[in-house]
Amino acid sequence: MNPIQSEIRNFVAENFLFGEDPESLQNDDSFLETGIIDSTGVLELVAFIEDQYHVEVDDDELVPENLDSINRLIDFIDSKLKELA
Amino acid sequence: MCGIAGFIRTDRRPVEQAELKKMIATLNHRGPDASGTQVLDSVGLAHSRLSIVDLAGGLQPMQTPDGMLSVTFNGEIFNHIELRAELQQKGYQFQTHSDTEVILLMYAEYGPECVHHFNGQWAFAIHDRRKQEVFLSRDRMGIRPLVYTQTPSRFCFASEIKALFALPDVERRVDHTALNQLFTFWSPLPPRTFFAGVSELPPGHSMIVKDGNVKIWQYWNLDYSPNEDNRSLDDWADELRSLLINATQLRLRADVSVGAYLSGGLDSSITAAIIRNYTNAPLNTFSVNFNDKDFDESQFQQEMITELGTDHQTVCCSYDDIGRIFPTVIQHTEKPVLRTAPAPMFLLSKLVRESQFKVVMTGEGADEVFGGYDLFKETKIRRFWSRQPDSKIRPLLLKRLYPYMKNLQAQSPDYLKAFFKIREDELDSPFFSHLPRWDLTAKLKTFFSDDLKQELQAQDPQAEFQQQLPAQFSEWPSFCQAQYLEAINLMPGYILSSQGDRMAMGNSVEGRFPFLDYRVVEFASRVPVRFKMNGLNEKFLLKYALRDLIPDSIRQRPKQPYRSPDAHSFIDSNSQRARFAYVNELLSPECLEAHGLFQPTAVQRLVKKMEQGRAIGTRDNMALVGILSTQILVEQMINGQTVTAGKETTAPATITS
């Protein structure tokens, strides 16, 4: 597991899964469709990404395509880090 | 307002007066002015009195002079003067000026059909010696509570469950199905209560108990059947205005002073303005506001105070006030709650009582009756969007919803669409309007313990609710279906009970609700939908009908539901610890394990998140309040332990006048 993946999985498990088995979450599962994340959850996710990886998420990047699964998050963070490099 | 209790022995053993006294002692808060018991045959009746009408002559239980009928009654029959005149014309003679005696003699004349003549809020039991039966009834909207249980040796009833638990043969156990329903709908579905074996008589129902058998029937229900009424807006408005003025005047009938709540919203402003403009009653008003400005409406309250020139008092609530009073609040609600909103209402009724008022008028019910909630707007937008699911413009209307929810307003249009996305199978669901709320609430069940999840796996709360819908429900307009669901579920199950009767009666205060006069409710069910919500302008007819009494700033302000701080009231993210020891104790792994309802690990994660100030969402806040209130309830009512805020008690809530 790459470090970003494990950090994201931990964050999601600690903050959104509570009573569910973290292992049951697949990397491609949609947070919206599984009901894991509500409107506040999106804001929590973005705050986590900004703090953890020192990137800025623009308003037009706040779309499910970037944030709605572990894999999408990994890709999005990767692309943001490349921009910074 | 009062408390009632009693039982009917089915085992031929004598009725113990001491047991009746034990029962009624638990309801002293509902009626601190007097109490009484009566034993006749196998029936025991008990009453605790809050004297409001006929202060000298309304003692209960009350009996007819021939001893054939006895009643114990909680509530008010507002049209008792008119009914008394009718009965006198028929030759009946009265010994008192009370509405209690009117109930007795109306029953003598009409039997169980008497309830159709009543305009009021009631829960009562009448012992009919001739028929050897007991007749019980509850008002149409479910304003006054009535619970009952059957043991092998008796049928018992009371205003509150704690009176039933005063009897040694009444079992104390959590009803897991009710918990499952509450964590979906915010309240168990009647007749279920939070406790196994204890039922509530649903609103608009009556029952007869005879020879150990119970017969229950519905005597009134809402009906939104479409009608071909082509009346003009002005016509509807004139009738509504007359009805509301009359409903308010009727509800000012009392032999004690009547106050009014003033929240800063439209509904309580209308009630207060009618009192000011159409009666000679002095206008004393009461408000609650908050240190946390996110919840505070004092600016709007002040406008109405100035407009009406009222004698006004305010209680200001801090996080500590809410957390400190919460165990007492739950002792009164007798069911878990998912928000702290009842707590400030408890502090408000305390202020009313300390100001020497026993009766208070409120604007409760207007949102349900005239379509004021954002949920109705949301339903309308989702229906409109569903006609063209690919539209990019239609979902942007969602931005008009929930202006007070900062987190939702911060969302991108794409996410907003995703959150409100309509599934194909939802379109034909009778619960279309409520699915977003119920789905969000049901997420809280992730905190249930593994054993409880397993036990509830096969249950389907929505399917059970669907069985309770009237046959003609599917013929009603979508807007009215949403109104009906709100009126039979959340209103009696939470708004009028946990936030209403229980919080007011906890301080011996009676609430009265002009918008819930059954004539207003029936009138509103006939009003065309376009006059209830015009475009996205909610309560359009109500605003129009009373437009000259209410300042534009109040009439045109965005709807803001009454809310109060949740998690912050229990956990201080600045010091990263719980504000009160009881919170730590009841949410500890040991206590959670012992009660067996919630997963300790999951709750610990949630608490940690809150301590770090990261739990800012509705779902997390509802989870904490729901879990904590359930734990308090089990500790108090199943285990019989006292839960208090202990030494951490802060100064009492600030009062200004």
Side-chain angles (χ1 to χ4, degrees):
Chain A
M1 200 187 291
N2 81 33
I4 292 181
Q5 184 186 108
S6 110
E7 284 158 4
I8 292 170
R9 283 194 74 90
N10 280 343
F11 178 79
V12 170
E14 288 291 314
N15 290 278
F16 304 123
L17 291 182
F18 297 119
E20 291 163 39
D21 176 11
E23 297 307 311
S24 66
L25 179 67
Q26 304 300 307
N27 289 343
D28 277 325
D29 284 350
S30 157
F31 296 148
L32 284 164
E33 279 171 29
T34 50
I36 289 170
I37 280 181
D38 60 5
S39 58
T40 313
V42 178
L43 305 182
E44 289 177 50
L45 257 184
V46 171
F48 166 74
I49 293 166
E50 290 182 331
D51 291 348
Q52 185 79 10
Y53 303 105
H54 310 292
V55 296
E56 275 189 26
V57 180
D58 299 329
D59 283 355
D60 59 353
E61 292 172 321
L62 286 172
V63 292
E65 287 71 19
N66 292 333
L67 309 170
D68 194 39
S69 72
I70 287 173
N71 280 343
R72 285 181 182 193
L73 275 167
I74 293 168
D75 292 346
F76 178 61
I77 293 163
D78 275 345
S79 71
K80 294 297 285 185
L81 291 174
K82 278 181 188 140
E83 278 176 28
L84 287 177
Chain B
M1 197 57 67
C2 312
I4 64 172
F7 55 83
I8 303 144
R9 291 221 74 113
T10 50
D11 60 358
R12 297 179 185 276
R13 290 184 56 203
V15 171
E16 293 280 349
Q17 196 133 26
E19 285 191 322
L20 282 174
K21 285 184 174 167
K22 261 176 77 176
M23 283 179 94
I24 208 65
T26 66
L27 302 180
N28 188 54
H29 53 279
R30 295 188 73 91
D33 296 335
S35 74
T37 58
Q38 184 189 76
V39 176
L40 275 173
D41 312 325
S42 59
V43 178
L45 302 179
H47 188 264
S48 63
R49 185 176 189 216
L50 182 66
S51 45
I52 289 170
V53 174
D54 190 10
L55 305 188
L59 290 174
Q60 294 187 51
M62 186 182 281
Q63 215 173 19
T64 49
D66 63 4
M68 285 297 128
L69 299 174
S70 304
V71 65
T72 181
F73 159 53
N74 161 213
E76 303 293 340
I77 304 301
F78 296 115
N79 60 337
H80 69 101
I81 293 172
E82 292 77 9
L83 295 175
R84 173 184 298 263
E86 276 177 41
L87 288 167
Q88 283 170 328
Q89 282 201 323
K90 290 177 187 284
Y92 285 90
Q93 296 195 334
F94 284 84
Q95 318 297 313
T96 74
H97 298 287
S98 68
D99 53 348
T100 309
E101 193 177 8
V102 169
I103 291 179
L104 265 182
L105 298 185
M106 285 294 288
Y107 176 84
E109 176 67 17
Y110 296 105
E113 295 299 300
C114 64
V115 294
H116 293 288
H117 299 259
F118 296 156
N119 183 348
Q121 45 197 48
W122 68 82
F124 62 75
I126 293 175
H127 176 206
D128 186 332
R129 285 185 90 184
R130 270 197 200 90
K131 293 183 183 170
Q132 285 294 297
E133 63 188 34
V134 175
F135 169 65
L136 301 102
S137 181
R138 190 175 176 206
D139 65 71
R140 297 172 183 86
M141 306 308 295
I143 296 169
R144 302 275 71 101
L146 185 55
V147 291
Y148 61 93
T149 189
Q150 273 183 289
T151 73
S153 59
R154 54 184 155 187
F155 172 93
C156 323
F157 68 89
S159 297
E160 296 180 19
I161 296 167
K162 53 183 68 72
L164 302 178
F165 285 169
L167 298 171
D169 49 329
V170 175
E171 192 188 10
R172 304 179 178 209
R173 204 161 39 87
V174 174
D175 181 333
H176 292 173
T177 300
L179 187 66
N180 196 19
Q181 291 174 350
L182 192 140
F183 274 68
T184 309
F185 311 123
W186 286 47
S187 168
L189 297 174
R192 263 183 214 283
T193 69
F194 182 67
F195 298 97
V198 176
S199 302
E200 69 164 320
L201 185 63
H205 282 66
S206 296
M207 71 197 292
I208 286 175
V209 184
K210 186 182 175 76
D211 301 330
N213 298 312
V214 174
K215 178 186 160 201
I216 299 178
W217 71 96
Q218 186 170 27
Y219 67 83
W220 185 87
N221 199 5
L222 279 157
D223 184 5
Y224 292 98
S225 298
N227 57 71
E228 296 303 307
D229 212 320
N230 290 320
R231 294 163 64 185
S232 69
L233 174 64
D234 283 313
D235 244 21
W236 286 109
D238 289 348
E239 187 178 349
L240 171 59
R241 190 183 176 104
S242 307
L243 271 175
L244 267 181
I245 290 167
N246 184 257
T248 307
Q249 288 167 334
L250 274 186
R251 278 157 184 74
L252 284 167
R253 287 178 170 177
D255 296 331
V256 297
S257 303
V258 178
Y261 283 166
L262 208 50
S263 70
L266 179 76
D267 314 331
S268 60
S269 298
I270 286 174
T271 303
I274 290 175
I275 297 172
R276 168 57 81 228
N277 287 280
Y278 288 94
T279 74
N280 297 320
L283 186 51
N284 291 73
T285 52
F286 302 88
S287 297
V288 66
N289 57 41
F290 299 92
N291 289 352
D292 184 333
K293 295 302 166 201
D294 279 355
F295 300 91
D296 195 64
E297 295 186 77
S298 50
Q299 171 205 335
F300 297 105
Q301 292 163 6
Q302 195 52 54
E303 271 190 64
M304 282 311 294
I305 295 160
T306 307
E307 172 81 12
L308 300 173
T310 78
D311 187 341
H312 187 79
Q313 291 186 77
T314 297
V315 61
C316 187
C317 257
S318 67
Y319 299 141
D320 274 340
D321 293 329
I322 294 169
R324 177 172 43 82
I325 207 76
F326 198 65
T328 308
V329 164
I330 299 306
Q331 204 170 3
H332 288 293
T333 62
E334 296 186 327
K335 67 173 82 156
V337 294
L338 304 178
R339 310 306 307 244
T340 59
M345 298 307 289
F346 186 81
L347 292 168
L348 182 57
S349 68
K350 188 164 181 278
L351 169 65
V352 170
R353 184 69 199 196
E354 285 167 355
S355 307
Q356 311 305 313
F357 283 78
K358 290 179 178 180
V359 181
V360 73
M361 303 273 267
T362 90
E364 218 63 83
D367 283 319
E368 292 82 356
V369 171
F370 291 102
Y373 288 127
D374 279 326
L375 176 139
F376 299 125
K377 265 189 220 177
E378 184 191 307
T379 304
K380 193 168 179 175
I381 294 170
R382 287 167 65 237
R383 283 269 180 221
F384 178 62
W385 179 19
S386 71
R387 290 197 210 113
Q388 281 191 32
D390 298 329
S391 165
K392 290 199 164 34
I393 305 297
R394 293 184 182 210
L396 293 181
L397 286 168
L398 295 165
K399 272 282 186 194
R400 299 271 300 274
L401 294 170
Y402 311 107
Y404 49 89
M405 288 177 76
K406 287 184 291 195
N407 295 332
L408 197 70
Q409 290 299 314
Q411 298 301 329
S412 67
D414 282 33
Y415 255 112
L416 213 54
K417 278 164 67 176
F419 289 128
F420 288 98
K421 187 179 169 189
I422 303 153
R423 295 194 313 262
E424 196 77 25
D425 60 317
E426 287 179 0
L427 282 169
D428 296 325
S429 166
F431 301 130
F432 177 83
S433 55
H434 282 63
L435 289 176
R437 182 203 286 170
W438 292 350
D439 286 348
L440 173 72
T441 307
K443 290 284 170 212
L444 309 185
K445 296 178 199 175
T446 185
F447 289 93
F448 283 177
S449 67
D450 291 343
D451 287 352
L452 186 58
K453 280 181 184 168
Q454 183 96 34
E455 183 190 332
L456 300 175
Q457 210 169 15
Q459 292 188 4
D460 183 350
Q462 285 185 28
E464 198 165 335
F465 198 169
Q466 196 160 346
Q467 288 173 354
Q468 297 190 359
L469 298 178
Q472 65 274 31
F473 181 86
S474 59
E475 296 158 25
W476 297 343
S478 169
F479 186 90
C480 297
Q481 291 179 338
Q483 276 191 289
Y484 182 82
L485 294 176
E486 206 63 3
I488 65 157
N489 172 229
L490 197 77
M491 187 169 72
Y494 173 76
I495 302 282
L496 293 177
S497 54
S498 296
Q499 212 170 277
D501 171 88
R502 302 311 185 88
M503 292 307 99
M505 292 312 299
N507 287 303
S508 316
V509 170
E510 174 184 287
R512 295 182 176 185
F513 319 104
F515 287 104
L516 293 178
D517 183 307
Y518 79 98
R519 298 166 307 161
V520 174
V521 174
E522 288 180 352
F523 163 86
S525 70
R526 296 192 303 270
V527 171
V529 171
R530 68 182 184 281
F531 291 151
K532 288 183 203 170
M533 185 172 292
N534 191 262
L536 287 180
N537 184 0
E538 78 280 355
K539 292 189 285 197
F540 174 72
L541 178 67
L542 185 61
K543 291 173 185 171
Y544 182 76
L546 284 303
R547 61 194 179 283
D548 58 315
L549 298 185
I550 305 295
D552 288 350
S553 54
I554 299 288
R555 214 160 35 88
Q556 293 164 1
R557 66 173 286 208
K559 164 81 185 157
Q560 182 176 323
Y562 161 67
R563 300 176 306 139
S564 69
D566 291 315
H568 286 305
S569 305
F570 306 109
I571 293 169
D572 181 0
S573 53
N574 293 324
S575 62
Q576 301 213 340
R577 65 185 186 88
R579 292 177 187 273
F580 302 98
Y582 78 84
V583 176
N584 281 332
E585 285 160 21
L586 292 173
L587 299 184
S588 69
E590 299 74 24
C591 189
L592 290 160
E593 203 74 61
H595 291 185
L597 299 173
F598 301 103
Q599 266 186 66
T601 320
V603 176
Q604 288 307 297
R605 277 188 189 144
L606 178 67
V607 169
K608 187 176 152 194
K609 189 176 175 181
M610 296 199 158
E611 286 170 346
Q612 293 171 350
R614 288 183 291 106
I616 50 175
T618 305
R619 195 193 297 179
D620 291 345
N621 275 272
M622 286 199 325
L624 183 85
V625 178
I627 294 163
L628 183 60
S629 57
T630 306
Q631 289 288 98
I632 291 172
L633 210 49
V634 172
E635 201 62 9
Q636 285 173 336
M637 291 190 75
I638 307 277
N639 300 344
Q641 299 297 313
T642 305
V643 179
T644 64
K647 289 178 186 165
E648 296 92 333
T649 298
T650 53
T654 319
I655 292 170
T656 55
S657 55

